C-alpha cells in the first residue's frame, strides 16, 4: 500500500490524501516503468511513424516575421509563434522535439497524480494509458499547439494537487498563452485552492501568475511586430464554425470561404483558412474592417442564430457534448483523417480511449471524491470546446485527465469489488447511465463519419487517376477517377476533373451500375443518398429525387461541404424541373429538420417567390440576411434563380458580389453560366476566363458554355478555347489550341497550371 501522509491541520480537508511516490513500495520502479512506456510510445513509435513534423503555418509565419515581411497574425497562437521565432531555421525539428519532451513529462505527471489520487495501481494505469495514447503521439508531430496545451494542463493539474500553486499557475498560464481556452482551467485550479484547501493566498498566486504568463507573449509580439491581440486565435471565426446552423458540433465552414481557399493565389498564404473569413467579412461589411472587427462580425452571425433558433442551437450543443468522448474522430486536416483511423501497436486508438475516458471520469467522481479534481479539470477544459467547436485536434486536451481517471476508476472499481460494496455498485450504475449515452454517436455523426471515411478510401484512386492523366493514359485514368467517385460521388465539384468528361451521363453510367447493385444488396440510407447524387450528375432528375426522398424517410443527414440534407437536394432538383410548389414544400420540410441553413434558405426563398408566395419569400429573405453574410447569401440565391430560369435576376444578385469580392472564382463561374442563359455570350466568355484564371483546376460545370465559346466570331481571351476544350475532354483539339495560343501569346508559358494542362493534352493526343 502507498504511504499516506496525514493532512495538514487547518489547511487540508479530512478527505484529502497526499500520497508520496518515491517512498512507496515499488514507487521508483514504477516511475522507471512508466518512463520507459512513454519513451517507447512517444519517441520509439512516434518518430518511427512520424519522423518529421506536419503543417507549415507557424514556420512560414515565423520566417516572414523574422525577415521583416509581416506582422503578428491575428489568428496565431502567441507563445507558439514565439517558440518558432526563437528556434529559427530549425524550428520544425526543435518544436517537434519540445512537444515530445513535454508529452513525456506529462506522462510522468499523470503517473504521480494517479498515485496521489488513487494509489499505486491507479498511477501505473494512468501513466501507461497516456504513454500509449495514439492521438497524443500523432498530434505531437503536428505543428499546432494542442499537444502542448494538453501536456501543460496535466502538469498544472498535478502541481496544484501537490500544493505548488506558483508552479501550477505558471504552467496553466503557459497553456493559456498557447490558446486562451485553457484559462477556465486556471480559474478551476484557483477555485479549488480557495474552496477545498481554504488557501486564499495560494489561489491568488495561482490565478495571478496564470493571467500574467498568459498575457505576456501576446503583448510582446504585439509590441515587437504589430497586429491585433483582440483577434487572437480567430475567436469569432471558430465560434461561428462551431455554432453555424449547418454544424453537427465540429467546424462547419462557410462554402464561399472554402472555395476561396482552394484558389492557388489564396492557398499560398500562410494561413488561408482564416484569411478567407476576413475577406468575406470585409466584402460584406466594408473593406476597412480591422482583424478584430472581422472577428466581431462572425460573432454577431453566430449569436443571431442562437437567438433566432435556440432549440436548434441546443441540439448543436448536444452534438458537441457527444463528440467530446465519442468514438468518432472529425479531424480538421487531411492527413489526420487517415492517421487517426488506425493506431499502430502498441498504441491505444482514439475510438477506445475517449469513450473509456468519459466513463472513467464519471466513475471517478462517483467512487472516489478526492479524485474529483480530474473530472472537474476535464469539465473546465471541455467547456470552451462546447462553446466553440469540437474536433480531433481540439479535444486531445481531455485525454490527460481522462487517462488519470481511467487509472483511478479502475483502481476504485477493483477495490469496491473486493470489498463487495453495494453502495459503490449503485453509484457505478448511475454513472454508467449518464456516461454511456454521451459516448454513443448520434446517427448524423455516423453518417458524417462515413463521408470522411469515404474521402480517405477514395484518395488512392484519385491519386492514381491524376498520375495516369499526367502520362496521357486517359482511358485508364478515367476508370480510376470513376472508382474514386464511386466511393465519394458528392465530392466531384471539389476535385481536379480537367481532361475527364465528367459532365456527360456516359461518364457516370458505370458508377450508377455499381450503385444499383449495392441498392439491390443493401439499401442503406447512405447508399440511397449517394445514388441520388449520382443520378443527379447523370441527369436523371426524377430518379435522383426518389433516392433523396427515401434517404430522408430513413432519417439520413450528414455534415458535408455540399448539402448533406436529402430533402434539400430533392427540392433543388424540383426547382430545376420548375415544379416550384413541390420544391417549396420540400425546402420547408428541410428547414424544419435543419433550421437556418444558408443554402436551404436561399433555395427556399426563390422557390416560394416562383410559387407565388411572396410573404413566405420575404420572410425567408429576412432570415437569410439576418443569419448569414450577404455575399454568400447572394451567391447561393443567384444559383437558385438560374436553376429556376431567372437568369437576368441571377445576374442582378451577382453584381454586388463581383464588385465586393472580385477574386471569387465561384462567383465568376456562376456569372458565366447565368450570362449564357441570359443570352449574353460575350459576358459569359469574359466571366469564364476570369474564373479559369483564378481557379485553373476547379471543376466548374461548363457544358452549357459550349454555345458561347465561339462567341459568334468574337475574339476569345488568350488560351481560353484551349482550356475549355481541355475541360470538356476534347484533348486532341486542346493540344492544337494550346500550341496555337502559346505561339500567339508566349506569356502564357508563365501559367503553371496552363502548361500542365497542355502537357496532358499533348500526351493524350499522341496516344
Amino acid at each position: 500500500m502507498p504511504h499516506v501522509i496525514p493532512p495538514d491541520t487547518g489547511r487540508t480537508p479530512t478527505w484529502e490524501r497526499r500520497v508520496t511516490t518515491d517512498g512507496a513500495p515499488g514507487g521508483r520502479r514504477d516511475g522507471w516503468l512508466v518512463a520507459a512506456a512513454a519513451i517507447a510510445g512517444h519517441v520509439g513509435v512516434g518518430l518511427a511513424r512520424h519522423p518529421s513534423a506536419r503543417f507549415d503555418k507557424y514556420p512560414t509565419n515565423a520566417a516572414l516575421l523574422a525577415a521583416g515581411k509581416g506582422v503578428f497574425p491575428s489568428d496565431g497562437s502567441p507563445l507558439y509563434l514565439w517558440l518558432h521565432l526563437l528556434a529559427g531555421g530549425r524550428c520544425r525539428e526543435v518544436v517537434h522535439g519540445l512537444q515530445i519532451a513535454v508529452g513525456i513529462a506529462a506522462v510522468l505527471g499523470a503517473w504521480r497524480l494517479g498515485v496521489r489520487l488513487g494509489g499505486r495501481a491507479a498511477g501505473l494505469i494512468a501513466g501507461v494509458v497516456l504513454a500509449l495514447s495514439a492521438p497524443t503521439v500523432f498530434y505531437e508531430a503536428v505543428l499546432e499547439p494542442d499537444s502542448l496545451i494538453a501536456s501543460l494542463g496535466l502538469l498544472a493539474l498535478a502541481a496544484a494537487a501537490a500544493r505548488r500553486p506558483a508552479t501550477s499557475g505558471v504552467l496553466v498560464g503557459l497553456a493559456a498563452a498557447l490558446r486562451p481556452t485553457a484559462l477556465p482551467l486556471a480559474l478551476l485550479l484557483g477555485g479549488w485552492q480557495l474552496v477545498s484547501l481554504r488557501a486564499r493566498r495560494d489561489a491568488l498566486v495561482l490565478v495571478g501568475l496564470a493571467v500574467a504568463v498568459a498575457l505576456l507573449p501576446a503583448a510582446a509580439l504585439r509590441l515587437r511586430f504589430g497586429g491585433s491581440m483582440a483577434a487572437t486565435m480567430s475567436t469569432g471565426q471558430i465560434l461561428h464554425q462551431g455554432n453555424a446552423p449547418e454544424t453537427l458540433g465540429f467546424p462547419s465552414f462557410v462554402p464561399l470561404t472554402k472555395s476561396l481557399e482552394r484558389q492557388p493565389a489564396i492557398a499560398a498564404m500562410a494561413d488561408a483558412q482564416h484569411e478567407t473569413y476576413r475577406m468575406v467579412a470585409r466584402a460584406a461589411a466594408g473593406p476597412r474592417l480591422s482583424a478584430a472587427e472581422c472577428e466581431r462580425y462572425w460573432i454577431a452571425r453566430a449569436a443571431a442564430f442562437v437567438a433566432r433558433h435556440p432549440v436548434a442551437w441546443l441540439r448543436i450543443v448536444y452534438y458537441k457534448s457527444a463528440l467530446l468522448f465519442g468514438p468518432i474522430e472529425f479531424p480538421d486536416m487531411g492527413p489526420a483523417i487517415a492517421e487517426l483511423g488506425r493506431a499502430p501497436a502498441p498504441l491505444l486508438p482514439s475510438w477506445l480511449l475517449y469513450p473509456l475516458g468519459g466513463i472513467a471520469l464519471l466513475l471517478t467522481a462517483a467512487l472516489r471524491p478526492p479524485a474529483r479534481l480530474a473530472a472537474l479539470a476535464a469539465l473546465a477544459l471541455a467547456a470552451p470546446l462546447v462553446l466553440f467547436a469540437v474536433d480531433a485536434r481540439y479535444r486531445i486536451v481531455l485525454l490527460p485527465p481522462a487517462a488519470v481517471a481511467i487509472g483511478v476508476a479502475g483502481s476504485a472499481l477493483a477495490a469496491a469489488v473486493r470489498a463487495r460494496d453495494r453502495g459503490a455498485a449503485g453509484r457505478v450504475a448511475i454513472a454508467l447511465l449518464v456516461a454511456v449515452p454521451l459516448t454513443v454517436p448520434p446517427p448524423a455523426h455516423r453518417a458524417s463519419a462515413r463521408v470522411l471515411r469515404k474521402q480517405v478510401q477514395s484518395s488512392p484512386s484519385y491519386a492514381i487517376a491524376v498520375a495516369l492523366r499526367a502520362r496521357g493514359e486517359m482511358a485508364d485514368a478515367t476508370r480510376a477517377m470513376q472508382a474514386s467517385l464511386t466511393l465519394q460521388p458528392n465530392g466531384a465539384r471539389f476535385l481536379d476533373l480537367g481532361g475527364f468528361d465528367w459532365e456527360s451521363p456516359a461518364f457516370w453510367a458505370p458508377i450508377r451500375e455499381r450503385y444499383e447493385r449495392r441498392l439491390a444488396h443493401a439499401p442503406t440510407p447512405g447508399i440511397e443518398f449517394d445514388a441520388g447524387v449520382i443520378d443527379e450528375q447523370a441527369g436523371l432528375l426524377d430518379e435522383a429525387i426518389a433516392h433523396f426522398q427515401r434517404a430522408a424517410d430513413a432519417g439520413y443527414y450528414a455534415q458535408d461541404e455540399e448539402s448533406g440534407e436529402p430533402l434539400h437536394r430533392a427540392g433543388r432538383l424540383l426547382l430545376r424541373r420548375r415544379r416550384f410548389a413541390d420544391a417549396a414544400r420540400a425546402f420547408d420540410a428541410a428547414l424544419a429538420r435543419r433550421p437556418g441553413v444558408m443554402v436551404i434558405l436561399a433555395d427556399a426563398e426563390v422557390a416560394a417567390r416562383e410559387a407565388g408566395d411572396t410573404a413566405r419569400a420575404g420572410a425567408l429573405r429576412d432570415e437569410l440576411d439576418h443569419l448569414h453574410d450577404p455575399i454568400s447569401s447572394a451567391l447561393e440565391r443567384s444559383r437558385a434563380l438560374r436553376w429556376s430560369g431567372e437568369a437576368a435576376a441571377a445576374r442582378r444578385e451577382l453584381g454586388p458580389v463581383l464588385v465586393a469580392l472580385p477574386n471569387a472564382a465561384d462567383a465568376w463561374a456562376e456569372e458565366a453560366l447565368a450570362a449564357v442563359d441570359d443570352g449574353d455570350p460575350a459576358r459569359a466568355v469574359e466571366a469564364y476566363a476570369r474564373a479559369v484564371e483564378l481557379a485553373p483546376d476547379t471543376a466548374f460545370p461548363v457544358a452549357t458554355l459550349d454555345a458561347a465559346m465561339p462567341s459568334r466570331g468574337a475574339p476569345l481571351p488568350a488560351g481560353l478555347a484551349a482550356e475549355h476544350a481541355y475541360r470538356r475532354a476534347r484533348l486532341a483539339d486542346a493540344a492544337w489550341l494550346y500550341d496555337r495560343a502559346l505561339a500567339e501569346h508566349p506569356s502564357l508559358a508563365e501559367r503553371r497550371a496552363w502548361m500542365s494542362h497542355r502537357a496532358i493534352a499533348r500526351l493524350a493526343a499522341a496516344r
Side-chain angles (χ1 to χ4, degrees):
M1 292 291 294
H3 176 60
V4 179
I5 299 177
D8 296 338
T9 304
R11 290 196 59 178
T12 307
T14 56
W15 50 261
E16 189 200 356
R17 301 169 118 192
R18 296 192 65 228
V19 184
T20 63
T21 52
D22 290 341
R28 192 177 298 276
R29 184 173 63 251
D30 290 353
W32 284 112
L33 178 63
V34 171
I39 293 170
H42 292 241
V43 178
V45 178
L47 289 180
R49 187 93 177 156
H50 315 292
S52 60
R54 306 167 184 258
F55 204 47
D56 289 329
K57 167 184 168 180
Y58 284 95
T60 302
N61 280 333
L64 289 172
L65 289 174
K69 297 179 180 178
V71 298
F72 168 45
S74 62
D75 49 88
S77 166
L79 180 56
Y80 206 64
L81 190 56
W82 266 122
L83 291 176
H84 284 79
L85 282 166
L86 294 173
R90 304 286 295 176
C91 62
R92 296 177 64 88
E93 295 80 5
V94 171
V95 175
H96 186 192
L98 176 66
Q99 292 182 167
I100 292 173
V102 178
I104 292 173
V107 170
L108 295 173
W111 163 61
R112 284 183 170 271
L113 183 60
V115 172
R116 185 177 300 279
L117 298 179
R120 180 184 176 189
L124 267 175
I125 296 171
V128 171
V129 166
L130 191 58
L132 302 180
S133 162
T136 304
V137 169
F138 172 76
Y139 279 110
E140 283 174 356
V142 174
L143 294 180
E144 282 280 1
D146 303 273
S147 70
L148 281 178
I149 296 169
S151 299
L152 290 170
L154 188 282
L155 292 170
L157 181 63
R163 291 206 208 143
R164 297 189 178 97
T167 303
S168 180
V170 171
L171 289 168
V172 76
L174 290 172
L178 289 165
R179 183 172 291 136
T181 51
L183 281 174
L185 180 61
L187 297 177
L188 167 76
L189 296 178
W192 184 75
Q193 297 280 336
L194 182 64
V195 175
S196 297
L197 302 183
R198 308 288 195 272
R200 183 180 303 175
R201 179 178 174 277
D202 288 353
L204 291 174
V205 167
L206 193 156
V207 175
L209 279 173
V211 172
V213 172
L215 290 176
L216 185 60
L221 275 172
R222 175 71 177 84
L223 291 173
R224 174 69 178 82
F225 297 108
S228 172
M229 286 180 62
T232 298
M233 303 308 300
S234 298
T235 305
Q237 298 176 37
I238 304 301
L239 187 71
H240 183 267
Q241 291 166 12
N243 295 278
E246 295 81 0
T247 186
L248 290 174
F250 53 97
S252 174
F253 301 96
V254 174
L256 180 55
T257 66
K258 294 305 290 182
S259 66
L260 286 168
E261 192 179 338
R262 293 186 181 95
Q263 295 178 200
I266 297 173
M269 296 178 177
D271 191 27
Q273 181 189 113
H274 296 288
E275 183 58 33
T276 57
Y277 267 82
R278 286 191 283 273
M279 290 168 62
V280 173
R282 287 166 179 152
R288 296 187 178 182
L289 255 63
S290 67
E293 288 170 332
C294 290
E295 300 307 315
R296 288 196 289 272
Y297 179 84
W298 293 112
I299 290 172
R301 300 279 72 73
F305 171 66
V306 175
R308 193 160 189 133
H309 296 289
V311 175
W313 178 73
L314 288 175
R315 181 173 58 185
I316 291 173
V317 171
Y318 158 69
Y319 284 139
K320 293 178 188 177
S321 302
L323 284 174
L324 291 173
F325 291 102
I328 298 176
E329 294 274 32
F330 289 102
D332 67 338
M333 54 184 66
I337 297 175
E339 289 290 344
L340 293 175
R342 55 183 184 270
L347 301 186
L348 302 173
S350 57
W351 60 262
L352 173 65
L353 283 176
Y354 283 107
L356 189 61
I359 293 170
L361 284 164
L362 283 178
L363 288 176
T364 297
L367 292 175
R368 192 175 290 273
R372 285 177 184 163
L373 181 60
L376 291 173
L379 184 64
L381 291 167
L385 301 184
V386 174
L387 175 62
F388 289 93
V390 182
D391 72 9
R393 180 163 58 87
Y394 295 158
R395 72 171 182 166
I396 66 163
V397 298
L398 304 174
L399 275 178
V404 173
I406 290 170
V408 174
S411 173
L413 274 174
V417 170
R418 287 195 301 268
R420 298 182 179 180
D421 186 345
R422 294 185 178 179
R427 294 195 298 275
V428 167
I430 293 172
L432 289 175
L433 284 174
V434 175
V436 170
L438 290 177
T439 63
V440 176
H445 283 172
R446 292 197 293 270
S448 301
R450 172 181 173 272
V451 172
L452 280 178
R453 187 167 58 251
K454 290 175 69 177
Q455 285 179 4
V456 175
Q457 293 169 349
S458 67
S459 295
S461 296
Y462 176 69
I464 292 170
V466 171
L468 289 170
R469 182 183 62 183
R471 293 162 54 181
E473 300 176 15
M474 293 306 300
D476 291 337
T478 298
R479 284 189 287 272
M481 187 62 76
Q482 288 168 335
S484 175
L485 290 171
T486 299
L487 290 166
Q488 184 63 348
N490 206 33
R493 68 182 293 260
F494 307 114
L495 302 177
D496 175 7
L497 296 177
F500 300 101
D501 192 13
W502 66 278
E503 293 186 76
S504 73
F507 178 88
W508 292 93
I511 303 175
R512 188 169 183 270
E513 290 175 6
R514 293 168 193 164
Y515 267 86
E516 286 178 346
R517 290 195 295 270
R518 290 185 184 184
L519 284 169
H521 177 67
T524 65
I527 292 177
E528 286 281 7
F529 183 85
D530 288 347
V533 173
I534 292 165
D535 281 344
E536 178 182 355
Q537 297 280 9
L540 303 172
L541 302 191
D542 290 335
E543 291 86 343
I545 290 169
H547 284 304
F548 287 137
Q549 186 61 60
R550 285 193 288 269
D553 292 342
Y556 180 86
Y557 179 77
Q559 182 175 321
D560 198 358
E561 285 195 55
E562 188 65 62
S563 175
E565 167 54 64
L567 287 174
H568 171 236
R569 298 293 287 260
R572 199 163 63 180
L573 298 182
L574 290 167
L575 188 68
R576 291 170 61 181
R577 295 299 297 266
R578 315 292 165 84
R579 293 165 55 184
F580 300 122
D582 291 339
R585 284 191 290 271
F587 292 139
D588 286 346
L591 286 171
R593 285 163 44 116
R594 307 298 309 173
V597 172
M598 179 175 60
V599 293
I600 306 178
L601 283 171
D603 291 349
E605 177 203 333
V606 172
R609 179 171 289 107
E610 295 295 329
D613 191 347
T614 55
R616 175 64 174 160
L620 289 166
R621 188 180 186 101
D622 289 344
E623 182 173 0
L624 185 62
D625 293 341
H626 183 65
L627 297 183
H628 300 283
D629 72 274
I631 303 301
S632 298
S633 300
L635 180 58
E636 295 299 336
R637 189 183 294 114
S638 71
R639 190 173 286 123
L641 285 166
R642 177 173 59 82
W643 285 333
S644 68
E646 299 288 344
R651 294 181 67 187
R652 286 194 295 272
E653 287 287 342
L654 281 168
V657 177
L658 296 173
V659 172
L661 203 60
N663 61 341
D666 263 11
W668 286 108
E670 190 59 38
E671 169 73 3
L673 296 171
V676 167
D677 291 349
D678 197 30
D680 189 352
R683 176 60 173 173
V685 166
E686 178 188 350
Y688 184 18
R690 181 66 174 147
V692 168
E693 180 184 357
L694 290 168
D697 292 322
T698 298
F700 303 121
V702 297
T704 58
L705 295 173
D706 284 348
M709 285 311 298
S711 195
R712 304 296 183 260
L716 293 176
L720 182 61
E723 281 288 288
H724 182 70
Y726 172 74
R727 287 169 177 266
R728 296 291 287 130
R730 298 194 288 263
L731 298 181
D733 293 344
W736 182 82
L737 289 167
Y738 277 126
D739 290 341
R740 178 180 173 182
L742 186 61
E744 295 175 356
H745 305 278
S747 62
L748 288 174
E750 298 174 4
R751 296 189 185 181
R752 188 177 306 171
W754 194 89
M755 295 299 289
S756 172
H757 300 168
R758 174 175 177 258
I760 291 169
R762 295 181 73 181
L763 285 170
R767 288 179 179 273

